[in-house]
Amino acid sequence: YNQDEAEKYAGNSRMIEIQSAMSERAIELMCLPETPCLVLDVGCGSGISGGVLSEFGHTWIGLDISPFMLQVAKSREAEGDIMLSDIGQGFGFRAGTFDGVISISAIQWLCNQDKKVHIPFKRMCVFFVSLYNCMKKGTRAVLQFYPETAEQAEMITAAALKAGFTGGMVVDYPHSTRARKHFLVLMCGTTVHLPPGLMDSTEEDQRIGIRNQERLREKRRKGKQRAVKGKQWVIDKKEFMRKQGKDVAGDSKYTARKRKTQW
């Protein structure tokens, strides 16, 4: 971002609302203790996500590659410490420094090859190794990003797992084109089940509707199978064939009787 873009980004009320909501969701997925924690904000930008961390009572350190975004954060009097950093080159924090890591709409830029010497997967590996080393054992990193393709999401996840993390992707509103959000939830030195992604009421109603339709189809299918063995079904079938002019045996008390198994 240049200076003009940084100022427009930071002054967009809609963008601030979206970024703040995603930050709150990321903090929820981090499962931080109620006591104040030290959190690393990767790609802190103008300090929107850092502001949410401060509201929750946490201390934070922010990294960003754009000096203009950091200048905006400074002008907004962001409460955290901010640093200019290319995360693809790693960072040298002391081992076990942070109680958690948050990143909002940042790590997808590692997929770009801005220079000939940049190898996206290699830069991702350097980033995730540095991230793993500076986190305390048993803590989480929650990285929200916008993958352009499924391959990008797989590449980012693979680099994280290669560095030693466990975890995976949590997708909120997966059936919505506009509201869908990807959160890479990573655990450092521990393994727990990933929480389910959020779904709105419409999506939940659709899922319930689909399940009900499947049950209804199954019920009808079983009902038809039972009807094949019934006497009335056989009589109706024979009458239909008679109307077609076919030669059909007459009805009697033995019509549709159950025959013994032939050995």
Side-chain angles (χ1 to χ4, degrees), residues 257-263:
R257 71 187 184 280
K258 185 176 180 180
R259 293 175 172 78
K260 296 181 180 180
T261 304
Q262 300 293 328
W263 298 94

Side-chain angles (χ1 to χ4, degrees), residues 12-78:
N12 189 318
S13 59
R14 176 60 178 164
M15 187 62 65
I16 294 174
E17 180 183 351
I18 295 173
Q19 292 282 88
S20 298
M22 290 191 295
S23 299
E24 291 179 3
R25 173 60 171 157
I27 293 171
E28 177 186 349
L29 293 171
M30 257 194 293
C31 297
L32 293 171
E34 295 182 1
T35 55
C37 299
L38 178 59
V39 180
L40 177 63
D41 187 355
V42 177
C44 63
S46 60
I48 297 173
S49 51
V52 178
L53 285 168
S54 297
E55 292 176 1
F56 277 81
H58 303 303
T59 303
W60 57 279
I61 296 175
L63 307 177
D64 204 279
I65 196 173
S66 171
F68 301 106
M69 293 295 279
L70 294 177
Q71 186 61 39
V72 173
K74 186 177 179 180
S75 66
R76 296 180 59 196
E77 299 181 352

Side-chain angles (χ1 to χ4, degrees), residues 89-261:
Q89 295 180 356
F91 29 84
F93 293 109
R94 184 181 299 174
T97 298
F98 296 102
D99 301 302
V101 178
I102 187 174
S103 180
I104 305 298
S105 308
I107 64 171
Q108 69 265 14
W109 299 111
L110 290 172
C111 298
N112 297 344
Q113 189 172 7
D114 299 325
K115 299 179 181 179
K116 290 184 179 180
V117 295
H118 285 177
I119 302 174
F121 186 72
K122 183 177 180 180
R123 284 167 56 79
M124 288 179 197
C125 290
V126 171
F127 163 66
F128 281 114
V129 168
S130 296
L131 194 66
Y132 188 90
N133 291 336
C134 73
M135 293 174 61
K136 293 179 181 178
K137 301 303 180 185
T139 57
R140 294 188 184 190
V142 180
L143 316 175
Q144 182 276 327
F145 68 105
Y146 293 103
E148 291 184 0
T149 62
E151 289 73 19
Q152 279 192 1
E154 291 174 1
M155 181 169 61
I156 291 173
T157 304
L161 298 180
K162 183 178 180 181
F165 285 106
T166 57
M169 200 74 69
V170 174
V171 183
D172 287 349
Y173 313 116
H175 304 296
S176 172
T177 303
R178 297 183 63 183
R180 185 188 303 122
K181 299 292 184 295
H182 294 77
F183 294 87
L184 183 60
V185 181
L186 303 174
M187 293 83 169
C188 180
T190 186
T191 302
V192 297
H193 292 293
L194 291 175
L198 299 179
M199 298 185 69
D200 60 26
S201 57
T202 302
E203 290 177 325
E204 187 64 27
D205 290 344
Q206 289 175 349
R207 290 182 60 182
I208 294 174
I210 291 173
R211 289 197 294 267
N212 288 340
Q213 289 176 3
E214 291 175 348
R215 294 193 191 101
L216 183 59
R217 282 197 294 268
E218 181 68 15
K219 186 176 181 180
R220 288 173 178 171
R221 185 182 65 81
K222 291 181 178 179
K224 288 181 179 179
Q225 289 177 346
R226 288 193 296 269
V228 170
K229 300 177 182 179
K231 182 174 182 179
Q232 187 59 46
W233 184 91
V234 175
I235 293 174
D236 293 342
K237 182 70 173 178
K238 291 170 70 175
E239 183 63 27
F240 177 76
M241 294 174 68
R242 290 190 187 100
K243 292 179 180 180
Q244 291 182 323
K246 296 181 180 179
D247 187 14
V248 181
D251 299 332
S252 69
K253 64 179 181 178
Y254 300 109
T255 299
R257 71 187 184 280
K258 185 176 180 180
R259 293 175 172 78
K260 296 181 180 180
T261 304

